[in-house]
Amino acid sequence: MKMDLNSDLGESLGAWRMGDDDAMLGIVSSANVACGFHAGDAAGILQTLRRAAERGVTVGAHVAYPDLAGFGRRAMDVASADLQADVIYQIGALQGLAAVAGSAVRYVKPHGALYNTIAHDERQARDVIAAIRAIDPSLVLVGLAGSPLLGWAQASGLRTVAEAFADRAYMPDGSLVSRREKGAVLHDAHAVAERMLRLATEGVVTAIDGSTVRLQAESVCVHGDSPGAVEMARQVRALLERSGVTVAPFVDEGAAT
């Protein structure tokens, strides 16, 4: 058994510190690095990329709506031409910084509201898919396990990876509970680790109403900005490995693009 463990990094902005990238890079196998649209400044992003390269952590572009004030968590009805250009711009910027850092961008994982929107909104999903194909069709698209997005992307020729969330509650239909709702974000590191072990070994998680949801996922995310994120990621990895699950990236950092 194998599972990727990823986290959203590079999200500090100027004097605003977000998460603990150094600690997380010692735990995760893949890093979703901010591209400046929802968070992150160029110097901080470059530093995160350099440390990811030193640790051998695979890097992905964490593209988002242009929403610094809302941390990319506000839905936007962006015109297709703008959305495609925005995604290309973000990937290209991260590719340049990654090259200087001695790394390379291997995948794309949309952030926040963009991630949730394209899971089901076909128009915006196809815009993001088109943007990835335009700049580098070898990039892998990471999306919500069980969502229509994965099928649309596969039909276009992109490789996809289905993702589950360690620190988020699920609805019975496999969607994420809105952050506006009580209980949407999970904080008990031990319980989260047990939950992810069950996902990795049985392919199921317990929904917020107590029902069982079947999810086939190749990657698990621990949000870097969540309180106690480092300890949560550490416990998830430790329990998976003790139970015989190999934690490794879905794209080898040394693989050719």
Side-chain angles (χ1 to χ4, degrees):
M1 292 180 289
K2 174 182 171 181
M3 182 66 73
D4 174 60
L5 181 60
N6 76 73
S7 189
D8 306 339
L9 305 179
E11 294 183 323
S12 295
L13 180 63
W16 177 36
R17 311 315 297 169
M18 180 66 73
D20 187 342
D21 286 10
D22 285 347
M24 290 298 276
L25 286 168
I27 302 168
V28 299
S29 48
S30 298
N32 321 311
V33 181
C35 302
F37 269 41
H38 78 280
D41 56 64
I45 291 168
L46 180 58
Q47 182 180 50
T48 294
L49 290 167
R50 284 176 167 150
R51 290 177 177 169
E54 292 168 0
R55 302 286 185 89
V57 175
T58 298
V59 167
H62 204 30
V63 300
Y65 289 130
D67 182 26
L68 283 173
F71 198 65
R73 288 179 175 157
R74 298 183 292 191
M76 294 186 174
D77 184 16
V78 182
S80 292
D82 293 328
L83 183 54
Q84 290 183 33
D86 284 351
V87 171
I88 292 168
Y89 183 97
Q90 290 175 82
I91 295 171
L94 198 69
Q95 285 176 328
L97 290 169
V100 171
S103 183
V105 177
R106 306 293 183 189
Y107 66 93
V108 176
K109 176 188 165 180
H111 164 83
L114 179 59
Y115 182 100
N116 292 326
T117 297
I118 67 172
H120 300 283
D121 184 309
E122 186 170 1
R123 195 272 295 175
Q124 290 202 34
R126 292 197 181 281
D127 290 336
V128 172
I129 291 166
I132 296 170
R133 286 181 53 80
I135 190 167
D136 186 352
S138 74
L139 293 172
V140 179
L141 175 61
V142 177
L144 184 66
S147 67
L149 168 67
L150 301 180
W152 297 327
Q154 290 164 8
S156 79
L158 288 182
R159 179 187 164 192
T160 64
V161 163
E163 178 183 42
F165 289 85
D167 51 5
R168 292 294 304 279
Y170 278 85
M171 297 293 288
D173 65 357
S175 62
L176 299 176
V177 175
S178 169
R179 284 180 177 270
R180 294 187 295 272
E181 302 297 326
K182 182 179 180 181
V185 180
L186 310 179
H187 302 287
D188 185 325
H190 176 74
V192 164
E194 292 284 353
R195 179 182 176 88
M196 290 302 97
L197 176 61
R198 189 179 182 205
L199 172 71
T201 57
E202 301 177 35
V204 297
V205 296
T206 301
I208 196 166
D209 67 350
S211 62
T212 297
V213 179
R214 182 158 295 278
L215 293 176
Q216 294 299 321
E218 300 170 69
S219 185
V220 166
C221 176
V222 174
H223 286 95
D225 65 312
S226 297
V230 172
E231 181 58 25
M232 186 177 295
R234 184 177 289 118
Q235 288 202 34
V236 169
R237 178 160 192 154
L239 183 58
L240 289 177
E241 292 182 331
R242 286 200 307 270
S243 304
V245 179
T246 300
V247 176
F250 51 81
V251 179
D252 182 11
E253 168 58 19
T257 55

